[in-house]
Amino acid sequence: MRTETPETLVRDHTIYSCVMGSRAFGLATEDSDTDRRGVFLAPTALYWRFEKPPTHVEGPGEEQFSWELERFCELALRANPNILECLHSPLVESVDDTGRELLALREAFLSRRAYETFTRYAHGQRRKLDADVRTHGAPRWKHAMHLLRLLTSARDLLRTGILTIDVGDERETLLAVKRGEVPWPEVEARMNLLAREGEEATRHSPLPEEPDRRRVEDFLIRTRRASALQPDPYDEVVQGVVPGRGVGKR
């Protein structure tokens, strides 16, 4: 059986890749990194071994991180903020047919669970900012900027049912925070207001209470089955189980 390394899984089996971070948020400056995120589909035959494929891979490029499809869907169903934002990046670098199916499921992952997960993440970041203010007299302004962005995105998602990650007209206001040009009490007041607005929005949100887990699971099962039926001259296991059969043949 052919050996797959983490690097070849990303290289040969990526179904979706995009740019995230400041470039996707519309907050990039000249010194911004290019953060790449992706989803790969590990061949089904690899799961027949004792040693399973990795759930995620860091690299092989700089600032690159990828998730195996099942893990990605699992986190998205939990309304993980980083994963949901990855699905809505305006900067898609590559996508195949399976990746397009994944993107077509974007609304199936969205639910009111987002309030809890986004809020939990925001509280963690806020505690760090408050600690910086107590210790150093000022927060890490870049982190303060991104927390304002996240709180705004969460509020608007709960209000509209649509996740938009590009900050649009808020770009210059947020970059002023990053540069430390806005007093901390003003930034703090804005964060508190956004948190209250997010809490109010969740009471009347058009989002369902729970994500459409069944729809996502059906997609995952179909994708795994199609992978198992793919002929591979290097894979004796697949050839032995489904000899001469291609995807969709019975």
Side-chain angles (χ1 to χ4, degrees), residues 209-225:
E209 290 291 340
E210 298 290 335
D212 193 342
R213 185 181 181 90
R214 176 65 179 273
R215 186 178 166 197
V216 174
E217 190 169 53
D218 286 347
F219 159 69
L220 183 61
I221 291 171
R222 284 190 293 102
T223 302
R224 289 273 190 246
R225 181 180 294 120

Side-chain angles (χ1 to χ4, degrees), residues 134-199:
R134 289 193 302 270
T135 304
H136 307 291
R140 299 181 187 182
W141 292 110
K142 180 178 178 181
H143 294 181
M145 175 193 72
H146 280 298
L147 181 51
L148 283 171
R149 180 203 64 77
L150 180 75
L151 288 168
T152 302
S153 180
R155 179 202 61 185
D156 293 346
L157 168 61
L158 291 162
R159 282 179 172 177
T160 66
I162 299 170
L163 181 58
T164 302
I165 68 172
D166 190 302
V167 301
D169 295 340
E170 294 293 317
R171 171 183 164 84
E172 291 308 318
T173 300
L174 289 169
L175 288 178
V177 172
K178 180 183 179 182
R179 294 190 294 266
E181 297 171 359
V182 183
W184 171 243
E186 186 176 331
V187 174
E188 189 177 32
R190 178 62 175 162
M191 289 176 179
N192 292 338
L193 175 61
L194 286 167
R196 291 195 300 271
E197 290 176 343
E199 183 178 3

Side-chain angles (χ1 to χ4, degrees), residues 48-61:
W48 299 335
R49 300 170 170 176
F50 286 120
E51 185 177 352
K52 307 303 181 188
T55 58
H56 60 269
V57 174
E58 187 169 356

Side-chain angles (χ1 to χ4, degrees), residues 15-46:
I15 63 171
Y16 170 67
S17 65
C18 65
V19 172
M20 284 301 300
S22 294
R23 297 192 184 281
F25 301 144
L27 292 169
T29 57
E30 290 183 0
D31 58 348
S32 294
D33 294 328
T34 300
D35 300 320
R36 289 183 165 84
R37 300 292 179 263
V39 183
F40 63 91
L41 174 63
T44 302
L46 297 182

Side-chain angles (χ1 to χ4, degrees), residues 51-91:
E51 185 177 352
K52 307 303 181 188
T55 58
H56 60 269
V57 174
E58 187 169 356
E62 292 185 10
E63 307 298 334
Q64 183 179 8
F65 192 96
S66 300
W67 295 269
E68 206 285 323
L69 177 61
E70 183 173 340
R71 179 59 173 167
F72 186 87
C73 289
E74 185 179 46
L75 292 172
L77 287 169
R78 296 179 189 173
N80 178 291
N82 292 325
I83 299 294
L84 292 182
E85 289 183 336
C86 185
L87 278 172
H88 291 78
S89 172
L91 303 177

